[in-house]
Amino acid sequence: DYKFWKTQPVPALDSQISEEGPIDSKKTPADIPDSPLPMLGDFEWCEIDIHKENELEDLFVLLNENYVEDKDSSFRFNYTKEFFHWALKSPGWKKDWHVGVRVKKTNKLIAFISAIPVNLRVRENEFNSVEINFLCIHKQLRAKRLAPVLIKEITRRVNKCDIWQALYTSGTILPSPVSTPRYAHRPINWSKLYDVGFTGCPIDKTKTDMLAYYAVPNITKTEGLRPMEAKDVDATLELFNKYQSRFDMVQLFSREEFQHWFLGNDETEKVIFSYVVENEDGEITDFVSFYSLPFTILENAIYKDLGIGYLFYYASNADFEYNDRFDKEGTAALRKRLDSLISDTVVLAKTQKMDVFNALTSQDNSLFLQDLKFGPGDGFLNFYLFNYKAMPITDGLTEDKRFDTEKRSNVGVVML
Ligand code: MYA
Ligand code: JJ1
């Protein structure tokens, strides 16, 4: 019955929203306590300095052993150390928002939560916010009401910086999702996926049939497709902003943020991959990015780890020339372009030794999921706003949760 969430500024599960905006009455940082919440008996607060190898290692081990699993506990997210250098060091990041809990006596890290600053737009309203991610409590310390303490402490630290809204995602249902897209999976290395139980084989098909069906070429076919470079940032950001403008919920990127999220840094070479399509006139017509987030395979004698690429942000000018980007012709032009752009992206993921390519039914993904042989996953991702009530935001699913090839989602934000 949500004993904790009932006390927080989030809409109740059954509530109807008529007007969008903040839930709490306006406060100032001076209204917020200066010192951390009391921590339970044997534990103490700490900050994780990801530039210190031993602290980064503690964070990596905590999440590697205790973070999110699929619903049958066959797989667990295996965020890498390099990934944290990308995900937790975006412009404006603060060590104070990388919050851990340690056992006093042994110094063992047993819990973590993080925030990074972002600017959000929900429909016509823009506001400063944070994204909350990597909430994790050691398996042996679950169900002790520690999560609410972590959430209240990160809220305090963020409020102290005069930020009052947050965006977060979870596989679990809490009060109240603004949108719930579904995961979609495009097999690349079908036999490995089959061997580790990531996918089954339809009874009327042989393994040979499946391998042929899911075969992925080794080279891309789009003329002018190449890795994005620093010199492309301005033109690509302009294309991207125009593309994103039609969504109801987006993260707004400064030039510096765009550079960070798509070009990464020295530590993130194998984490984030960004490509552009440059035409003969030197214009950037398309842009696509994906990131690497492997699964640890739990209890398999042969394979320990599954390579997974996740579709991140993309943009295309394919529908810009249409008066209404949503009309039949605009949508058809975009579908055609995305079919070829994203099929090449799957090729690029294969080149990076990824076994499967994942996407959600957010953004314009439902236009190409079916065509490109993505299948529905058993996971859904709930999107939440803290201290902000918003009308539901459309995803690309039908009533019975299948891919709706005609329905473009209004969710334009991607979370890691
Ligand atoms: S989502 C990923 C979350 N992590 C995992 O799923 C990893 C594996 N699981 C665990 O580590 C634990 O099970 C966790 C809960 C830590 C999830 N989001 O301590 P408890 C509520 C929010 O006894 P535990 C991500 O990282 C639950 O409904 N609340 O439970 C985004 C119950 O409250 P209520 C959650 O299982 C996180 C209470 O916690 C979640 O030991 C966004 C029970 O606490 C969840 N995923 O620990 C956080 N799971 O009684 C919110 C359970 O009301 C941010 N609960 O039902 C809000 C914005 C804050 C900033 C605001 C700034 C302005
Ligand atoms: O990866 C996921 N599911 C896979 C594996 C399922 C294994 C059995 N449980 C899946 N495979 C199907 C493959 C597909 C079928 C049709 C034909 C082509 C092949 O469905 C799921 C997503 O679907 N992932 C998870 O469950 C991980 C957790 C998701 C919640 C994320 C919460 C994130 C929190 C971040 O803040």
Side-chain angles (χ1 to χ4, degrees), residues 56 154 185 346:
L56 181 59
I154 197 91
H185 308 281
V346 175

Side-chain angles (χ1 to χ4, degrees), residues 77-127:
F77 284 136
N78 185 18
Y79 286 96
T80 60
K81 292 182 192 178
E82 295 76 22
F83 200 102
F84 296 123
H85 278 291
W86 181 55
L88 295 177
K89 270 168 48 183
S90 56
W93 71 278
K94 291 176 173 50
K95 193 171 66 141
D96 180 53
W97 291 355
H98 301 166
V99 183
V101 177
R102 292 185 187 272
V103 178
K104 275 185 195 161
K105 274 194 193 138
T106 61
N107 213 36
K108 187 183 166 78
L109 183 71
I110 55 94
F112 184 76
I113 192 167
S114 69
I116 53 166
V118 293
N119 288 309
L120 293 183
R121 177 177 62 78
V122 176
R123 300 200 167 86
E124 67 283 9
N125 299 312
E126 293 178 11
F127 47 90

Side-chain angles (χ1 to χ4, degrees), residues 213-231:
Y213 181 74
Y214 286 122
V216 176
N218 290 316
I219 48 168
T220 58
K221 59 183 189 313
T222 304
E223 196 90 35
L225 179 68
R226 59 164 176 83
M228 182 177 153
E229 297 170 39
K231 66 167 186 192

Side-chain angles (χ1 to χ4, degrees), residues 220-388:
T220 58
K221 59 183 189 313
T222 304
E223 196 90 35
L225 179 68
R226 59 164 176 83
M228 182 177 153
E229 297 170 39
K231 66 167 186 192
D232 303 315
V233 165
D234 289 306
T236 312
L237 179 55
E238 193 183 317
L239 170 78
F240 180 68
N241 283 338
K242 192 165 173 191
Y243 189 80
Q244 290 292 95
S245 66
R246 75 148 195 90
F247 294 113
D248 283 342
M249 180 161 72
V250 297
Q251 180 181 339
L252 301 166
F253 293 92
S254 67
R255 190 185 190 284
E256 196 191 359
E257 287 172 321
F258 193 83
Q259 167 116 12
H260 171 84
W261 286 115
F262 300 106
L263 294 176
N265 52 49
D266 290 345
E267 281 122 340
T268 63
E269 229 169 280
K270 290 273 171 290
V271 175
I272 172 69
F273 302 88
S274 300
Y275 290 80
V276 294
V277 179
E278 180 179 343
N279 70 11
E280 288 143 348
D281 303 327
E283 295 158 348
I284 305 295
T285 59
D286 306 270
F287 150 69
V288 65
S289 59
F290 61 100
Y291 59 86
S292 168
L293 167 50
F295 258 170
T296 299
I297 305 168
L298 306 171
E299 293 167 60
N300 187 283
I302 301 159
Y303 298 110
K304 296 287 160 250
D305 180 287
L306 201 61
I308 310 186
Y310 283 80
L311 183 61
F312 194 38
Y313 289 97
Y314 58 87
S316 168
N317 70 6
D319 61 357
F320 287 0
E321 62 194 272
Y322 298 86
N323 287 333
D324 175 2
R325 286 171 56 191
F326 265 116
D327 70 12
K328 243 180 131 196
E329 280 95 45
T331 300
L334 182 63
R335 185 195 307 274
K336 190 166 169 239
R337 190 81 71 80
L338 291 181
D339 274 358
S340 63
L341 182 69
I342 308 299
S343 68
D344 273 352
T345 309
V346 175
V347 173
L348 295 165
K350 182 185 179 186
T351 313
Q352 296 301 329
K353 307 258 184 296
M354 288 159 178
D355 298 307
V356 58
F357 193 72
N358 291 358
L360 287 162
T361 59
S362 56
Q363 301 156 285
D364 282 315
N365 301 353
S366 49
L367 295 183
F368 60 76
L369 292 175
Q370 207 93 285
D371 293 346
L372 302 187
K373 303 177 178 174
F374 283 77
D378 63 356
F380 289 80
L381 189 63
N382 300 288
F383 281 72
Y384 300 98
L385 290 164
F386 183 89
N387 190 26
Y388 197 88

Side-chain angles (χ1 to χ4, degrees), residues 67-77 79 132-135 168-172 182-187 190 193 196-200 210 214 295 306 308 310 356 358 373-382 415-416:
Y67 199 52
V68 178
E69 299 174 3
D70 71 309
K71 68 174 168 58
D72 308 310
S73 293
S74 309
F75 306 98
R76 191 185 303 129
F77 284 136
Y79 286 96
I132 304 292
N133 207 343
F134 307 117
L135 167 60
Y168 51 103
T169 54
S170 174
T172 52
R182 184 173 191 165
Y183 282 94
H185 308 281
R186 178 27 165 118
W190 187 86
L193 297 177
V196 303
F198 189 91
T199 187
M210 299 311 283
Y214 286 122
F295 258 170
L306 201 61
I308 310 186
Y310 283 80
V356 58
N358 291 358
K373 303 177 178 174
F374 283 77
D378 63 356
F380 289 80
L381 189 63
N382 300 288
M415 280 198 63
L416 307 174

